[in-house]
Amino acid sequence: MIEFKNVSKIYDTGTEAVHNATFTIEKGEFAFLVGQSGSGKSTLIKLILKEEEASKGNIIINGKDITYLRKKRVPYLRRSMGVVFQDFRLLPDKTVYDNVAFAMHIVRATQKHIRRQVPMVLSLVGLSNKAKMYPNELSGGEQQRVALARALVNNPSMIIADEPTRKFRSRDSLGNYEIIE
Ligand SMILES: Nc1ncnc2c1ncn2[C@@H]1O[C@H](COP(=O)(O)OP(=O)(O)OP(=O)(O)O)[C@@H](O)[C@H]1O
Ligand SMILES: [Mg+2]
C-alpha cells in the first residue's frame, strides 16, 4: 500500500516538481501516472524509493510512515519494491543472467535459489536465449525486459516502473537513448 498525504517536492533549484499530492494505491491495485514531460512523474517515484526527500507532507508505505525513515533503513524499504528505472540502470559489465542474479545476491539469496529463480524470470520475460549477452548487445526493448526480470526476481510486494511502455532505439553518441515511440 502506498499513501501520499499532501506531499510536495521542491528541488534546491526552486523547481516545485510535485505539488500537494494526496492519493492511496491499495494492495493489488494497478495505478498509472500520466503526465507531460517534466510534470514530476519520476520525482514522485524517487520519493517512494526515498531517493529524494519530500519537502512537505507524509509518505506511508505498507503502513509505515517513511517520511522520517533513517538512511540506514532505506535498503530494507527498497527490498519490498521491484523497480524498473526510466534509464534501466543495468550493469554494463555483467551478462543478462548476472544482472538478474546480482539482485538476488544483494539480498543474500542462496546459490541454489538463484540458479532456480533466474532462468525462471528470464523465461517469463522471453529472454532465455539472451542470458549470456551483455546489455550493449541487446535492443532497447530487450534491455527493458532485463530490468523487468530484475525487478521481479525477488518477489517484491510492489512493482514500480517508470515509463514501462516507452520504446527506445540504441544510444546516440552522447549515450542518450533516442525515443522512437
Ligand atoms: N535533481 C533535480 N534537480 C532539480 N530539478 C529537477 C531535478 N530532477 C527533476 N527536476 C525538475 O523537476 C521537474 C519534474 O521532473 P521529473 O523528472 O520528475 O519529470 P517527469 O514527469 O518524469 O518527466 P519525463 O516524462 O520527461 O520523464 C522538471 O521541471 C525537472 O526539470
Ligand atoms: Mg520521468
Side-chain angles (χ1 to χ4, degrees):
M1 197 264 281
I2 301 173
E3 191 177 358
F4 271 50
K5 287 184 186 165
N6 305 106
V7 175
S8 295
K9 171 66 185 177
I10 303 156
Y11 284 108
D12 294 341
T13 53
T15 302
E16 187 176 41
V18 174
H19 176 76
N20 205 25
T22 298
F23 61 86
T24 304
I25 303 171
E26 302 288 353
K27 185 165 189 241
E29 193 176 346
F30 272 91
F32 298 87
L33 179 62
V34 183
Q36 283 186 345
S37 177
S39 61
K41 304 179 294 295
S42 293
T43 300
L44 199 121
I45 287 177
K46 285 174 187 164
L47 292 172
I48 295 171
L49 303 178
K50 228 171 148 66
E51 260 186 38
E52 292 287 351
E53 300 285 333
S55 313
K56 281 185 215 139
N58 294 76
I59 300 172
I60 297 124
I61 308 283
N62 290 337
K64 199 170 179 336
D65 192 327
I66 66 157
T67 318
Y68 304 106
L69 189 73
R70 283 187 292 155
K71 277 268 175 292
K72 230 172 64 184
R73 307 292 305 170
V74 171
Y76 296 96
L77 168 74
R78 299 242 176 100
R79 278 178 201 187
S80 63
M81 303 169 176
V83 188
V84 183
F85 292 98
Q86 193 164 6
D87 56 3
F88 312 146
R89 299 195 192 174
L90 301 177
L91 301 164
D93 55 353
K94 286 192 190 297
T95 63
V96 166
Y97 183 97
D98 286 335
N99 261 280
V100 179
F102 189 66
M104 294 189 75
H105 186 70
I106 285 172
V107 299
R108 301 208 167 92
T110 62
Q111 279 304 324
K112 190 178 164 198
H113 192 202
I114 293 175
R115 278 197 297 270
R116 200 178 38 210
Q117 194 76 357
V118 175
M120 204 183 75
V121 283
L122 286 181
S123 148
L124 195 68
V125 299
L127 286 179
S128 299
N129 58 339
K130 304 276 179 180
K132 292 189 175 130
M133 304 277 215
Y134 288 86
N136 67 354
E137 298 169 331
L138 303 175
S139 73
E142 286 168 343
Q143 291 178 34
Q144 192 166 39
R145 281 185 278 144
V146 179
L148 182 61
R150 188 179 56 183
L152 292 169
V153 77
N154 290 323
N155 289 319
S157 66
M158 55 187 96
I159 300 276
I160 298 163
D162 199 352
E163 312 247 8
T165 57
R166 191 184 277 191
K167 295 217 171 58
F168 298 89
R169 196 149 51 191
S170 58
R171 287 164 195 245
D172 64 19
S173 56
L174 296 170
N176 297 314
Y177 285 99
E178 275 182 89
I179 297 159
I180 53 171
E181 234 170 69

